[in-house]
C-alpha cells in the first residue's frame, strides 16, 4: 500500500479511492479463493477482511486469515474430545515424505492432516495439494485454545 500511495500521490481523490478499492477487492477475492481451496469456510467474513488491513501479498493475508479463523478450522477437524490427529512434518519435507504421511494416515483410518511450522505451511500445502487435494496442512500457530494436536507419526 506504501507503493500505491506513491503512485497515486497526485491523482484525483476519486480515482485514488477507486484504485485502492479495486486493489483490495482483488486481494480479498484471492484470499477467499485460497481459503476455499484449502477447505476453510468463509463464515467469519469480518476476520477475513481484517487480515487485509495490515497489507502484504494475498498469500500473507491468507495466512493471517487462517490464524484468525483457527477456531473454525480446528472445529472442522477435531473429534468430540477436541483432538486433531496430525502427522508432523519438518519444514524441508518433500513430495515423497508427504505421500508416505498421507498413506500412513489413511492406513490408520485418519483424515490426512499434516502439521508443520508456520513458515513452511503454505509451501507444504502447495506441494501436497497437487497430488492429494483433500489433505489439510496446519501450523502450530493455527491450534486454537482448547484444541489439541495429537501426533500420529509412526
Amino acid at each position: 500500500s506504501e507503493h500505491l500511495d506513491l503512485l497515486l500521490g497526485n491523482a484525483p481523490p476519486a480515482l485514488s479511492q477507486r484504485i485502492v478499492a479495486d486493489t483490495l477487492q482483488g486481494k480479498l477475492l484471492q484470499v477467499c479463493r485460497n481459503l476455499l481451496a484449502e477447505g476453510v469456510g468463509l463464515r467469519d467474513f469480518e476476520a477475513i477482511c481484517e487480515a487485509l488491513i495490515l497489507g502484504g501479498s494475498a498469500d500473507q493475508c491468507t495466512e493471517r486469515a487462517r490464524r484468525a479463523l483457527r477456531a473454525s478450522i480446528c472445529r472442522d477437524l477435531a473429534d468430540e474430545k477436541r483432538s486433531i490427529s496430525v502427522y508432523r512434518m519438518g519444514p524441508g519435507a518433500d513430495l515423497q515424505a508427504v505421500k508416505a504421511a498421507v498413506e500412513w494416515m489413511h492406513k490408520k483410518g485418519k483424515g490426512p492432516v499434516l502439521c508443520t511450522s508456520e513458515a513452511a505451511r503454505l509451501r507444504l500445502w502447495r506441494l501436497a495439494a497437487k497430488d492429494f487435494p483433500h489433505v489439510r496442512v496446519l501450523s502450530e500457530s493455527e491450534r486454537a485454545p482448547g484444541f489439541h494436536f495429537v501426533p500420529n507419526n509412526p
Side-chain angles (χ1 to χ4, degrees):
S1 86
E2 191 176 308
H3 299 290
L4 198 56
D5 291 342
L6 289 173
L7 289 172
L8 299 175
N10 294 327
L15 177 62
S16 296
Q17 289 172 353
R18 176 66 188 195
I19 290 172
V20 169
D22 288 351
T23 301
L24 283 174
Q25 184 178 15
K27 192 177 291 183
L28 176 60
L29 183 60
Q30 186 59 50
V31 168
C32 290
R33 283 182 181 147
N34 292 348
L35 293 169
L36 289 172
E38 291 197 59
V40 177
L42 305 178
R43 288 172 285 215
D44 190 352
F45 198 67
E46 184 176 340
I48 296 167
C49 289
E50 286 175 4
L52 295 171
I53 292 172
L54 294 175
S57 69
D59 286 344
Q60 290 168 326
C61 292
T62 300
E63 293 303 299
R64 272 198 303 277
R66 286 181 60 87
R67 286 190 299 277
L69 299 170
R70 67 183 186 226
S72 172
I73 291 169
C74 287
R75 263 193 310 277
D76 289 346
L77 297 172
D79 62 18
E80 64 281 347
K81 296 177 185 172
R82 298 174 63 96
S83 296
I84 302 169
S85 183
V86 299
Y87 192 106
R88 293 198 186 272
M89 306 285 297
D94 61 8
L95 188 56
Q96 194 62 30
V98 169
K99 182 179 179 190
V102 170
E103 288 174 357
W104 176 260
M105 295 291 282
H106 280 303
K107 187 171 141 183
K108 293 293 184 180
K110 307 287 184 183
V113 180
L114 310 179
C115 183
T116 192
S117 68
E118 185 174 352
R121 197 208 71 76
L122 181 59
R123 183 197 66 80
L124 186 62
W125 180 78
R126 285 184 174 151
L127 178 71
K130 291 176 190 174
D131 292 324
F132 307 101
H134 299 296
V135 73
R136 302 291 295 269
V137 181
L138 303 175
S139 71
E140 278 295 334
S141 64
E142 293 173 330
R143 185 174 37 139
F147 289 89
H148 311 282
F149 288 175
V150 179
N152 199 359
N153 295 46

